[in-house]
Amino acid sequence: MFEELTKLLRQENAKFRVIQHPAEGSSAKVAEIRGTLPGQGAKAMLCRAKGVPGIFVLAVLSGDRKVDFRKVGEVVGGKKASLVSPEEATALTGCVMGAVPPFSFWPDVRLIVDPKLLESYEEIAFNAGRLDTSIVLNSRDYLCIAKPLLADIAVQEDEN
């Protein structure tokens, strides 16, 4: 996945940098290691929506926000979404949970990004198919290359 992703970014002349780091489970610690803010982290969660069989959703939002699973389901015409199992995520993407990048290379996976991630930061950061490697990518380049559906999928901040 890492090689496929960096090849795509180079082909598209994207502004990005690769950061090697220890595998870390905490978003805040990874952000500190990367030298980025927690909100710059593009948290990618693979979901399935009730009522929409055969379609998966890669929901992407700022690392400091929470996903609203009801909103995710509604965006794809279904009911409340839920995370797929770690085994299913690995089988579908080839990446372990937490390392899935905010890109969809899979035809059955719809990419939905909360626009606040891209509006708030010039660069986004994410694990690049591996837990020990991150990419920091220009937000505009991400939008042009990934071509996500933009939709409000985060819990409203006053609901937290």
Side-chain angles (χ1 to χ4, degrees):
M1 175 54 58
F2 173 76
E3 289 76 17
E4 186 176 356
L5 193 53
T6 54
K7 180 181 175 186
L8 172 65
L9 296 177
R10 284 189 192 99
Q11 285 174 340
E12 297 293 330
N13 295 313
K15 295 181 203 100
F16 74 99
R17 62 187 181 280
V18 175
I19 300 171
Q20 301 287 327
H21 55 77
E24 183 60 63
S26 160
S27 297
K29 283 190 178 187
V30 172
E32 188 178 320
I33 292 167
R34 292 175 180 150
T36 59
L37 297 170
Q40 282 179 272
K43 180 166 49 176
M45 292 173 288
L46 191 59
C47 305
R48 163 188 348 263
K50 288 181 184 169
V52 191
I55 297 295
F56 296 89
V57 177
L58 189 60
V60 180
L61 66 160
S62 294
D64 60 353
R65 301 195 71 203
K66 293 179 182 172
V67 67
D68 185 325
F69 289 104
R70 181 190 51 78
K71 289 180 182 178
V72 171
E74 288 174 357
V75 170
V76 295
K79 297 183 180 177
K80 186 176 181 179
S82 59
L83 289 174
V84 301
S85 70
E87 297 80 19
E88 199 170 17
T90 301
L92 185 63
T93 67
C95 302
V96 298
M97 202 74 110
V100 178
F103 287 81
S104 179
F105 294 99
W106 315 280
D108 294 336
V109 179
R110 296 192 184 157
L111 179 62
I112 301 173
V113 175
D114 190 279
K116 286 200 167 97
L117 170 66
L118 304 173
E119 293 165 1
S120 301
Y121 302 100
E122 246 182 69
E123 294 180 316
I124 61 170
F126 52 91
N127 283 342
R130 298 167 28 180
L131 293 174
D132 64 352
T133 306
S134 292
I135 289 179
V136 178
L137 173 63
N138 176 276
S139 296
R140 285 193 189 107
D141 288 344
Y142 170 72
L143 188 59
C144 291
I145 296 166
K147 297 177 177 48
L149 171 62
L150 298 176
D152 173 14
I153 56 170
V155 171
Q156 295 306 310
E157 292 175 6
D158 56 330
E159 295 176 28
N160 282 335

